[in-house]
């Protein structure tokens, strides 16, 4: 007898290929059978008529590092159909970390000092297993986290000895299943790291067949130079590179995604490349003085010295105080912000590109989070695929499942295939849509009917079931093996 039978459902298997109509049986946490299964006995039978079944969505760009342990129900992700999160992006990770004081910006996005309790990567993986989060967790190691462990201050380049010490810590994490290394070179805590520092550190990735991901040194005017730096680092380390949340930020940069994507494609002829993107024309992070401008709206989401100014526009705050935008931003720090700094045409161009995966980049610790935290994946399905017609539904699912699993080395996940782990999402293609908005960001999406994590029904009809069946997912093998053979190109 099967554990679960999902009958007569439209299957989008994660490959991007044509959908099929069949029944899917689950047993022992795996997909046991796919096909015409009339009368098959099961403890639970779900009618999938008029619904679509896809692999559970893989959020390749998250900052859920401490959230998966502190609030393991993970409702913002589970309610979207996300069954796996990749943490440790943008150079910031919860481990391996040994703080001397408060976490430096932007590591403070992950939590307060007491949340950084994992001196080794093995400590972190044990904490995840003990917390039993509702979603699976895979992890990158952050460059800024390593810098903070070994440097007296972050506004300089590291010495060779410091980098070698970081590299040994990275090697230990890779040996314990880390997917790879991430950098956030745009942030002040890593901006002074030169290319040679990152290259020397990234050499450890080659030994393990791991991955290099990067929040580029610039997403503004110097984006092409920043991309070339990323390609050079990955080529030196002989590993794949994923450009995080690829965008052209700043009004003067709008329209340049044609150049940017050409550069990505051109690099892809010689090395393994990819990118992720969130489906919104606004970004969110800590309040960065370098991004303060009157060219677009900046919303303040939190401020330690002036919490009363949260949920207001920076321009309105500056007007009330009778100061410039920059002076107002300085008074508000440390603070968080949403930057309406992209053009919708650029978002669509990047999102629709074949090399692009979907990642939310949500900030779960932000009291007024960007709506991507709760809505990114249903927005791709409902708004961009169904309503805008940017790409077929099967391609949308591929960008959130099969492509992501291959790029991040998540074995036997990301596809609806017999024998694979039963991470699945059942949704209504006609009604699925994001509900979260900038004004009211904490809202579950519509149209997500059911979510299974490792075969366990974890979310159904707008409610978490209370079951938490997520697992720690170590890197599986050499990630280069899952990329196309460049010699055949």
């Amino acid at each position: 007898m099967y554990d679960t039978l999902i009958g007569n459902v439209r299957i989008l298997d994660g490959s991007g290929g044509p959908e099929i109509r069949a029944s899917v049986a689950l047993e022992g946490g795996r997909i046991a059978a796919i096909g015409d299964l009339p009368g098959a006995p099961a403890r639970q039978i779900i009618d999938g008529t008029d619904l679509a079944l896809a692999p559970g969505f893989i959020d390749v760009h998250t900052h859920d590092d401490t959230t998966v342990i502190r609030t393991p129900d993970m409702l913002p992700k589970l309610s979207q159909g996300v069954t796996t999160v990749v943490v440790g992006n943008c150079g910031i990770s919860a481990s391996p970390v040994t703080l001397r004081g408060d976490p430096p910006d932007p590591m403070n996005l992950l939590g307060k000092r007491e949340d950084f309790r994992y001196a080794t990567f093995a400590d972190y993986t044990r904490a995840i297993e003990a917390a039993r989060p509702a979603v699976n967790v895979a992890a990158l190691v952050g460059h800024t986290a390593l810098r903070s462990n070994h440097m007296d201050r972050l506004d300089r380049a590291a010495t060779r000895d410091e980098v070698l010490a970081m590299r040994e810590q990275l090697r230990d994490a890779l040996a314990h299943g880390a997917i790879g290394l991430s950098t956030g070179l745009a942030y002040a805590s890593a901006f002074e790291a030169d290319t040679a520092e990152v290259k020397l550190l990234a050499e450890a990735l080659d030994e393990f067949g791991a991955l290099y991901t990067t929040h580029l040194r610039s997403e503004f005017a110097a984006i092409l130079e920043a991309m070339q730096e990323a390609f050079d680092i990955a080529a030196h380390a002989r590993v794949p590179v994923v450009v995080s949340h690829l965008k052209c930020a700043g009004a003067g940069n709008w329209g340049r995604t044609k150049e940017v994507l050409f550069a990505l494609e051109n690099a892809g002829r010689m090395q393994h490349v990819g990118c992720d993107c969130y489906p919104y024309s606004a970004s969110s992070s800590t309040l960065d003085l370098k991004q303060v401008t009157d060219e677009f709206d900046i919303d303040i989401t939190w401020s330690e010295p002036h919490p009363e100014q949260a949920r207001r526009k920076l321009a309105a705050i500056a007007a009330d105080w009778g100061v410039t935008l920059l002076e107002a931003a300085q008074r508000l720090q440390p603070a968080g912000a949403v930057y309406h700094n992209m053009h919708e045409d650029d978002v669509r161009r990047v999102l629709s590109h074949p090399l692009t995966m979907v990642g939310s980049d949500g900030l779960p610790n932000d009291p007024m989070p960007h709506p991507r935290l709760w809505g990114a994946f249903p927005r791709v399905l409902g708004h961009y695929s169904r309503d805008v017609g940017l790409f077929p539904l099967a391609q949308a699912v591929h960008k959130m499942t099969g492509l992501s699993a291959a790029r991040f080395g998540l074995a036997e996940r990301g596809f609806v295939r017999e024998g694979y782990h039963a991470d699945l999402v059942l949704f209504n293609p006609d009604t699925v849509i994001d509900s979260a908005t900038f004004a009211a960001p904490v809202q579950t999406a519509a149209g997500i009917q059911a979510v299974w994590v490792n075969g366990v029904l974890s979310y159904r009809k707008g409610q978490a079931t209370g079951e938490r069946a997520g697992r720690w997912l170590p890197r599986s093998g050499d990630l280069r093996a899952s990329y196309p053979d460049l010699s055949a190109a």
Side-chain angles (χ1 to χ4, degrees):
M1 177 177 286
Y2 296 121
D3 296 327
T4 304
L5 182 68
I6 309 164
N8 192 35
V9 71
R10 294 170 55 185
I11 299 175
L12 299 152
D13 70 358
S15 69
E19 66 179 61
I20 64 169
R21 186 172 292 278
S23 296
V24 177
L26 315 182
E27 185 177 4
R30 300 266 182 169
I31 299 172
I34 302 171
D36 186 14
L37 304 171
R43 294 177 182 86
Q44 182 178 48
I45 298 176
I46 293 177
D47 183 6
T49 303
D50 298 327
L51 300 176
L53 186 71
F57 304 138
I58 300 167
D59 192 344
V60 297
H61 193 107
T62 85
H63 297 288
D64 294 329
D65 302 52
T66 61
T67 306
V68 293
I69 296 168
R70 289 186 289 112
T71 54
D73 60 287
M74 292 299 292
L75 188 60
K77 298 302 170 69
L78 197 63
S79 63
Q80 294 183 64
V82 171
T83 58
T84 297
V85 297
V86 178
V87 303
N89 285 280
C90 294
I92 58 175
S93 59
S95 74
V97 172
T98 305
L99 293 176
R100 297 177 180 87
D102 290 333
D105 184 302
M107 284 177 64
N108 55 356
L109 289 172
L110 303 183
K112 300 185 182 298
R113 183 177 184 177
E114 60 268 22
D115 298 315
F116 292 85
R117 296 175 288 172
Y118 316 106
T120 70
F121 196 77
D123 291 338
Y124 182 66
T125 64
R126 284 191 290 267
I128 290 173
E129 290 169 344
R132 296 184 303 107
V135 297
N136 303 308
V137 183
L140 298 156
V141 173
H143 170 226
T144 298
L146 295 173
R147 295 187 104 229
S148 73
N149 293 342
H150 296 282
M151 299 176 66
D152 57 346
R153 59 181 226 269
L154 302 180
D155 59 345
R156 64 173 175 83
T159 66
R160 179 178 176 83
D161 285 347
E162 288 168 338
V163 180
L164 292 177
M166 293 183 219
R167 194 169 71 179
E168 283 308 300
Q169 211 166 26
L170 174 60
R171 288 188 73 257
D172 178 74
L174 293 168
H176 284 89
I179 297 173
L181 171 72
S182 77
T183 57
L185 299 175
Y187 290 105
S189 52
F191 189 77
E192 296 304 323
D194 56 23
T195 306
E197 173 182 322
V198 185
K199 282 184 174 180
L200 183 57
L201 178 59
E203 287 174 359
L205 302 174
D206 182 25
E207 177 184 351
F208 293 89
L211 181 71
Y212 176 58
T213 76
T214 180
H215 176 149
L216 296 170
R217 197 177 291 273
S218 175
E219 296 171 328
F220 292 80
I223 186 171
L224 292 178
E225 293 83 354
M227 290 178 70
Q228 188 58 53
E229 179 186 36
F231 301 148
D232 290 347
I233 291 167
H236 176 80
R238 299 186 294 191
V239 295
V241 58
V242 170
V243 179
S244 297
H245 43 56
L246 184 60
K247 66 173 77 72
C248 284
N253 220 25
W254 291 348
R256 293 187 65 204
T257 48
K258 293 178 182 177
E259 301 172 60
V260 165
L261 290 170
F262 177 80
L264 190 72
E265 293 169 358
N266 195 47
R269 296 187 178 96
M270 298 172 284
Q271 62 188 115
H272 301 309
V273 302
C275 66
D276 66 64
C277 173
Y278 47 80
Y280 299 85
S281 59
S283 64
S284 181
S285 188
T286 52
L287 180 57
D288 179 7
L289 299 182
K290 293 188 295 183
Q291 294 193 55
V292 171
T293 178
D294 61 1
E295 293 180 342
F296 48 77
D297 285 338
I298 300 174
D299 303 329
I300 301 303
T301 60
W302 58 272
S303 168
E304 285 192 8
H306 294 283
E308 76 280 0
Q309 300 299 338
R311 299 173 176 254
R312 300 192 66 206
K313 295 192 181 303
L314 178 62
I317 298 169
D320 284 352
W321 288 350
V323 298
T324 66
L325 291 176
L326 185 59
E327 288 169 334
Q330 289 170 329
R331 285 193 196 180
L332 291 164
Q333 286 188 310
V338 167
Y339 306 88
H340 297 269
N341 59 1
M342 287 170 266
H343 195 284
E344 177 66 17
D345 289 349
D346 287 322
V347 174
R348 295 185 183 191
R349 195 172 290 122
V350 173
L351 188 60
S352 62
H353 195 276
L355 288 173
T356 302
M357 300 169 285
V358 175
S360 73
D361 197 15
L363 301 177
N365 296 307
D366 197 318
M368 184 67 174
H370 189 300
R372 63 194 181 187
L373 178 67
W374 288 82
F377 291 82
R379 182 172 176 80
V380 172
L381 298 171
H383 176 66
Y384 282 109
S385 178
R386 182 190 63 230
D387 299 341
V388 174
L390 191 61
F391 33 58
L393 186 60
Q395 186 179 345
V397 168
H398 174 61
K399 289 175 169 294
M400 305 191 294
T401 58
L403 180 61
S404 306
R407 293 296 180 259
F408 282 81
L410 305 177
E412 298 182 337
R413 299 183 193 271
F415 296 91
V416 181
R417 291 178 180 166
E418 291 184 1
Y420 273 49
H421 297 282
D423 293 341
L424 299 166
V425 55
L426 184 69
F427 66 93
N428 187 329
D430 297 328
T431 62
V432 65
I433 196 68
D434 56 311
S435 302
T437 66
F438 288 100
V442 181
Q443 297 192 71
T444 57
I448 302 295
Q449 299 296 309
V451 181
W452 290 265
V453 181
N454 295 306
V456 176
L457 183 61
S458 303
Y459 184 84
R460 182 141 195 222
K461 294 182 178 178
Q463 299 289 330
T465 66
E467 299 288 343
R468 303 205 310 264
R471 299 174 185 167
W472 158 246
L473 302 184
R475 183 191 69 259
S476 57
D478 190 324
L479 303 193
R480 290 168 291 206
S482 62
Y483 280 70
D485 182 4
L486 291 171
S487 65

